[in-house]
Amino acid sequence: MAGLHDVNTDTSSFFSDARLKIPPLKKKYADKDDEDDLSNLFAIPDFWRPSNWLAKSIEEINKQNPLFSWGAEGTQDGLISSQLQGHPTPELGQENDNAFFKLPPILRDLAAQHAKAPCADTAQEEDQPELDHELSSEEEDFWLLPDDVASAKPQYKTWEAFEKTKEGPTSFITEAGPAAFDSIIAASNNDTENKPPDILDNSIYSACLLTLSLGRSSLLFTWDSTQNSFTKTAPLLRTSGITLDLIKAIDNLCLDCGNCTRHLQYYSETAYSSPSSSPTRIAFAGVIARLITTVGTELSTRSRNVRSILQLQSLVQPVQTVLSYFKNLVQKVATAKTDEAMLSALFQAVQEAEYKDDLLRAATNEVLRIVSRPWTDFVEEWIGTKVEEGIPVSKTGGSSKGFVKVADKMWIDDQGCDLDEPEYFLDESKMPGFVPGDMAESIFETGRNLRFLREHHPEHPLARVDVVELTKPPRLEWEFEWEAIARLEGRVEEYRGAVERVLLAAGVGGEQTGDSKTEESGAVEFSVFGKSEAEVATNILESMKQMDQPLREPPPADDLAQLLKSHLYSPLSHKTALSPHTSLLPLLSFSPLLTYQSALLSHLTTTLLFTSHSLRSHLSLLNQSFLLSNGLLVARLSSALFDPDSSTTERQKGVALGGSSSMGLRLGSNRRTWPPASSELRLALMGVLSDSLDGGGEKGGRLPGDLSFSIRHDLTPEEIDKCMNVDGLGALDFLRLAYTTPPPLRAVITPQVLAKYDRISRLLIRVLRVLHAASSFSTSGLPPDSEDVTLRFAWEARGFVFAVANYFFDIGIAKVWRRFETWLDTIEATLPDPADSARAGISPEILRQKQEATLDSIMSCLLLRKRQQPVMALLEEVLSLILSFARLVRIKAADAHLELHGQQHHDEERDLYKRFHRKVEVFVTVLRGLSEKTPTAEGRRGGKDQENTIEMLLTRLDLEGWYAKKR
C-alpha cells in the first residue's frame, strides 16, 4: 500500500505540471444503490464488474487484477480506490501478463521515480500551493475544465474569412468543386465526332447574359434583323460547373427576355412617329417605355453582386415573366384601330388578369388607369370638372373631339327652306365598350347642359373657369379597391359642399360676389417687389441654402413604376378584403362623380328653362295654336276660313275691298277661284292669333316664337294637286303655323317635335273644315223639298263628324295633354329643392322625351301613326264624301229655281249616301278590330296598360251597332 501511495504521489505531481485536474473515483461506484441513483448524470453503471467473457470468478479476478482509480479516499492524489484498500497490491516492478487491469507503463515509471525521491516531491508541492486542489470533494464535476485554465483570445469571425479558408481535400464529388464536375462531363463525353463545348469564364458569360436580358447586343449575342431576334455567336459555350443543357435553358430564358425588350422598345418608338398616333396610343407607348426602363434598372441594380449564372437566372425570371406578358398585351392592343377599341381591349385584359399573378393583375390595372387618362381628361373637360385645355369643343369651331360630334342639323324654317345649324351629337362609336349606354347618354347630356349655361348664362358661377378651380372637384379615374371607392365618394361629398357654398354665395342673380376670388388671389404675393433689401437678401440666402442641398432621388414617374420597383422581386401583400368584380369597375369608378355632376347641371338647366326662358308659356302656346285647344282661336279661325257671310278677300275688277273687320276666305261658299293669293291670306288671318291666344300683346305685339301663319313650301306634286281642289279635303293643306324655337329652348322643342305638332295641326284644320260643313246640315239649312235620302245623309254625316271631332279634341288631345301638364306641375314643384329634382331625374332631355311621348300618344289617338295609315285613309274618304255632299247641298240651294238639274242632284246624293254608308261600315269594322287588340308597345314601355281610346271612338260612332246590321 505504501508503494502505491508513493506512485500516487508521483503521478499527482506529473499531472499538476500538466495543469490538469484528475477527478476521483467516488464510493458510489462500488455501492449498488449509488449506481442506480438517477440524479448522478456522470455515473458509469457496472464499471466495476468484470467482463462476462472471462472464465474466472469475480473474487479471483479482484485478487489478481484489482481495479484502480484516480482518486483514493483520504488522500489527495491517490491511485487506489477505497473499495480496493483491502486487496493485496502487486509489486511495482512485477509484471503479470495475465492481469486484466494493470498500470500503464508510463505510470509504473513515474511511480518508481516517486518512490526513489519522495522528499523532493513533497518540497515541490509545498513550493506550489496554488496548484493543489481538493479532489476528495464529491461536489466537484470532473467533466468541467479547471478554473485556472487560461481562456482563449476572442476572434472576429466573418463569412468572407470563412469562404477564404483553405480547405483540405474532400471525400465527396459534390464538394470537390466545378473542376471535378467538368472532368466527369469530359470523361462521360465519348462522342469523338462532336467537339466538346468550350468553357468560358463565369463572370464574362454572366455579363453577356445580363446584357442580352436588357435587350442589348454583346460579344456572344447579337441582334439579327432578318430573324427579328437575338442569336448566339458561339453555340457551344458553357461555364465551369454547369452542363450544356442547363446553359441552353438559361440562354433561352435570357433570349426571350431580350427579344421581348426589343419588341416593346420598337413599339414604343414607332408609336411616337406614326402618323396615326393619338393621345391614348401615345400614353400606352409611354407606359411601355417606362416599364422597360424600370424593369431594366431593377435588373441591373440587383445583378451587380451576382456570382453565378444560376443567381442571374433567378433575377431574369421575374423580368421575363413581366415582359412576355406585356408583349402579348401589346400584340392585342396594337390591332385596335381607334382609341376606344384600344381602351376596350385593355379593359378586357384587366378582366382576364383578374385571376393571374398579383403583380401582373396590379400592373394591368395601372396600365388601364394611365392609358385611360386622355379619355377621362376629356370627359372631365366636357362635364365641367376640369378646365379645358387646347381648342375647346364649340359649335362655332365645328371640330369634333372624342365622342362629341359637331355637325350641321337640318331643319325647315317657316318659309319651308332647309337650314343648317351646328349642333352637338353623341358619337356612340367613339365611346369605349366598358361604358354602359345610359352612362354615355348621361355624360353627353351633362356636357350639353354645361354648354347651355356657358352660351346663354355666361355669368353663372358654374360657367366660369375660376370657380372650377375653386371647388376642386375629384379626378375621374379608375378605382380597383373598395377602400379607394369609399374615398372617392368622400371626395365627391366634399365637392358637393364646395359647389353649394359657391352657389349660395352667388345669390339668385347668378353673379359671384367676388369674395372667394379675392381671398384666393390674396394668398399669392410677390417675392421681390414691395419688400425691403433685408427681406430680399434673406430670400436669396434661403434659396441658396436650398440649392446647396443634395439632389433627391427622383420619384417614380407613375404608380406603375413604383409598383414594379417595389414588388418585382417581392410578393404583394395579400389583402383579406375582396376586390370588386371587374364588370362593376366602370360604374363604381365613374358613377359617383358623373351622377352628381349630371344631377347638378340638369337641375340648374331645368330651373333656368322654367324661370328665365318661360318654357311653360311656350308649351301652352303650342297647345293652344297647333292643337287648337283655344276655343276663341277655333272660332276666329273657322270664321276667317269658312264663314260664307264674312266679307270676301278676293280681288274683283272694279270692286273695292270691304272695310269690315270680319273678312275671310269664304271656303264654305261656292267659291270658284282657288287657291287664294298671299294677300288674301294676310287679310283673312290678320289678328286671328294675336287676338285669340293668351299673352298675345307681349314682346312688342309679337307672339312667343314669332308664331304666325305661313304657306307650306314642302308639298309634293300630289299634295299640290289636292290643294288646287277647292271642294277637296286637302284644300287648306298649304296653310301652316310657323313657330321658331328660341335658342335656349331648342333642347326641348326640337324640329322633330315641331314636325309632330305640324302633322296634328294639319289634320285638325281638315276636321275643322268638315265640322263647319256638317254644321250647315240642319233642317233650316236644307232645301224644303229635300228627299228622305238627303235628310238621312245629313243626319248621319253630322253625327259622324261630331263624334270624330269630339273624340279628337276631348279624348285624343285634351285628356292626354292634361296628363302632361300634371307632370309638368310636379316637376316645377321639385325645382326649389335640388335633392328632389335629382331624385326625379329631371333634365332638358327628359322634358323633350316626355313631350315627344305625349305627342306620340296624341298621334296614336288621332290615327296618325304610320301603322294606322290604312285607317286614316278610310277616315279621309268618309270626310271627303261629306264635303262632296255639302257641295251638292250648296249647289241645290243656289239652283233651286232650275228644274233641269234636280233629278241629277238626287241621283248624286243617292250614290254619295251609298258610298258613305259603305265606307262608314268598313271604318267601324276596322275600329272594332283595333279595339280588340292588346295594348300597344308604347303602353307596355310606359309601365302600365294604355287606355283603349279606340273603344271610346267606336262607342261614339256606333253605340247601338247600326252600321253592323245588314241592310
Side-chain angles (χ1 to χ4, degrees), residues 216 285 604:
R216 307 166 190 167
L604 293 175

Side-chain angles (χ1 to χ4, degrees), residues 859-878:
M859 294 175 64
S860 180
C861 294
L862 271 55
L863 307 176
L864 289 176
R865 304 304 296 270
K866 185 176 182 180
R867 64 176 182 274
Q868 297 172 331
Q869 287 181 355
V871 185
M872 176 54 65
L874 286 175
L875 179 61
E876 290 177 354
E877 291 181 7
V878 174

Side-chain angles (χ1 to χ4, degrees), residues 712-720 723 733-735 762:
R712 198 184 304 274
H713 295 275
D714 56 346
L715 296 174
T716 61
E718 294 79 6
E719 293 174 339
I720 293 176
C723 292
D733 286 351
F734 64 88
L735 186 64
R762 186 175 180 177

Side-chain angles (χ1 to χ4, degrees), residues 213-216 223 230 257-272 285 288-289 291-293 296 323 330:
S213 301
L214 296 176
R216 307 166 190 167
W223 177 257
F230 281 98
C257 184
N259 291 335
C260 293
T261 303
R262 273 298 184 98
H263 293 158
L264 293 177
Q265 286 177 347
Y266 176 78
Y267 175 81
S268 176
E269 293 171 359
T270 55
Y272 288 94
I288 297 301
L291 170 73
I292 298 173
T293 303
L323 293 181
V330 166

Side-chain angles (χ1 to χ4, degrees), residues 11 163 379-380 438 461 466 481 722 724 742 811 816 880 925:
T11 306
E163 292 178 353
V379 174
E380 290 178 351
D438 54 349
D466 55 344
E481 301 295 335
K722 293 180 181 179
M724 300 297 293
I811 304 300
V816 178
S880 299
T925 304

Side-chain angles (χ1 to χ4, degrees), residues 528-576:
V528 176
F529 296 103
K531 291 192 175 184
S532 63
E533 184 177 355
E535 292 175 342
V536 173
T538 303
N539 291 338
I540 294 177
L541 292 177
E542 291 292 336
S543 177
M544 294 174 61
K545 182 179 179 180
Q546 186 175 2
M547 295 295 293
D548 290 339
Q549 298 294 329
L551 293 177
R552 298 179 179 178
E553 183 180 356
D558 48 35
D559 293 339
L560 177 63
Q562 179 64 33
L563 176 68
L564 294 174
K565 186 176 181 181
S566 303
H567 301 286
L568 182 61
Y569 293 101
S570 60
L572 286 171
S573 59
H574 296 279
K575 297 183 178 180
T576 57

